[in-house]
Amino acid sequence: MDMLSRRGFLRRFTLALGGGGLASGLWSQTLMDPSGPRPDFRHPEGRHINLAGNENPFGPSPAAGVAIASNVGNSVRYPWREEVVLTEVIASYEGVDPERIVLTNGCDELLAIAGIMARDRGGNLLSSTPTYDWLGEYCEKHGGEVRWIMHRKDDMAHDLDGFKRATDQQTSMIYLCNPDTPSGTMLSKQVLQDYILSIPKDVIVFIDEVYLDLLDDFSQLTLTHLLLERKNLIIGRSFSKLYALAGHRVGYAVTSPSLAKEIQKYKTSSMNYLGVVAAQASLYDVNFRTFSRRKIREGRGRFCGLLDDLGLTYNPSVGNFIFHRTGIPIREYQEITKAAGFVVGRPFEPYDDWCRISVGSDQEMRSFSRFMRYTFA
């Protein structure tokens, strides 16, 4: 089908909201929770279905739930002893020594620390755009120089040739999110490995792998083995995606002992007790990892099938989200979806008429699919 014109799109949606019949039934189904009364949300978007955060709606692990419930009484304590245990468990899982692991409040704290480290070294930081820009923007707003490298136009993948051209004697750090957001693209292990080994050894390379463990062959794809050849390498991970602990803010770095000590000097706080015990329990729950990967893969596949049916362009993704074209400015599309009870992804310049949709629960995606079929058909 042809892409909807903005006028036709908005007219169809206006009729859907005001026309009764199918439309009113659609929206009420979207907002109702059949499991029973919902809590009193104070935020005006509290009753909206959130398809914006790249969260895992299928968790947390039952083992994590048990750990949280059984440790509520212990959460009056600071978790410094539990952090030591979690560090050892993560090190065993990663196949490295504990001195190579640094726990952080989500991967965002680690990215912010890296941004400050890049600034303090002087020179410049290289980062793709659009991407998860927390590290680059944090560096920039604290006075560091960032060189933004535009994605390749044909497939929205990282432009490594562009990175090579931008690298000079002043480059202090390079950041790559792999798999990337919002595009969902992933550079192959061999391509990325060859590139990293070509970078001057005094440059810190930060590879953000927070989405990598969503893949079944994660252990074969991770680049932690390069730590044996390159000390200025940081691998970033999070318990927010696969393990569905986004609200508990648990992330970590796998790096060299020397960089681990440097990162520790920049930390500003300790961890959240319940997040620490939940993360440890999650690592032991192999069945939940398998379940989460399958559900996210299936949800992503169904949504891509819907986009195919509707004739909407999208970028193939390996993440828990899909980046697709809507045909109208993203700010307008956000208002339209919000009126229908959904929160969708933020703008990613220069893709003004594209939208990133996170994989929601089965029920959430059925509701959003009804909205899309009625609006785009």
Side-chain angles (χ1 to χ4, degrees), residues 114-177:
I116 296 299
M117 288 169 60
R119 180 207 63 184
D120 288 353
R121 279 171 163 73
N124 55 70
L125 163 72
L126 305 186
S127 176
S128 281
T129 185
T131 190
Y132 190 63
D133 49 20
W134 189 263
L135 192 159
E137 289 192 348
Y138 205 85
C139 177
E140 226 170 27
K141 70 184 179 183
H142 287 278
E145 178 190 351
V146 180
R147 295 182 179 179
W148 299 98
I149 314 300
M150 185 63 197
H151 276 171
R152 297 192 310 225
K153 290 183 179 180
D154 56 342
D155 59 2
M156 297 188 192
H158 294 301
D159 182 4
L160 296 186
D161 289 334
F163 272 80
K164 291 174 183 177
R165 289 191 296 269
T167 303
D168 58 25
Q169 292 183 343
Q170 302 303 311
T171 300
S172 60
M173 185 180 292
I174 293 172
Y175 170 72
L176 290 166
C177 185

Side-chain angles (χ1 to χ4, degrees), residues 2 23 39 54 57 69 124 157 162 167 191 209 215 227 259 305 319 325 346:
D2 294 332
N54 292 355
N124 55 70
T167 303
V191 166
E209 291 188 349
L215 301 176
L227 290 166
L259 274 183
R325 194 177 181 200
R346 63 180 175 84

Side-chain angles (χ1 to χ4, degrees), residues 31 35 42 56 62 72 75 92 109 115 127 175 216 237 263 270 285 287 325 333 349 369:
L31 299 177
S35 63
R42 296 184 181 276
N56 179 354
V72 168
S75 63
S92 177
E109 185 189 20
S127 176
Y175 170 72
D216 292 330
R237 300 219 199 282
I263 292 168
S270 64
D285 193 345
N287 290 335
R325 194 177 181 200
Y333 189 64
E349 295 182 355
S369 294

Side-chain angles (χ1 to χ4, degrees), residues 198-272:
S198 74
I199 296 169
K201 291 189 175 181
D202 60 333
V203 176
I204 295 176
V205 180
F206 191 122
I207 304 297
D208 188 339
E209 291 188 349
V210 298
Y211 297 105
L212 191 67
D213 56 5
L214 295 173
L215 301 176
D216 292 330
D217 51 353
F218 157 73
S219 61
Q220 282 76 51
L221 295 172
T222 181
L223 295 175
T224 51
H225 66 283
L226 288 183
L227 290 166
L228 298 175
E229 302 179 56
R230 188 181 180 95
K231 71 173 185 177
N232 279 334
L233 176 64
I234 301 171
I235 306 290
R237 300 219 199 282
S238 173
F239 282 86
S240 298
K241 310 303 178 185
L242 176 62
Y243 298 101
L245 295 175
H248 288 281
R249 314 309 301 131
V250 184
Y252 64 93
V254 190
T255 187
S256 64
S258 58
L259 274 183
K261 290 178 182 178
E262 185 173 352
I263 292 168
Q264 289 281 10
K265 292 178 182 178
Y266 285 89
K267 281 177 57 66
T268 61
S269 64
S270 64
M271 304 292 291
N272 137 22

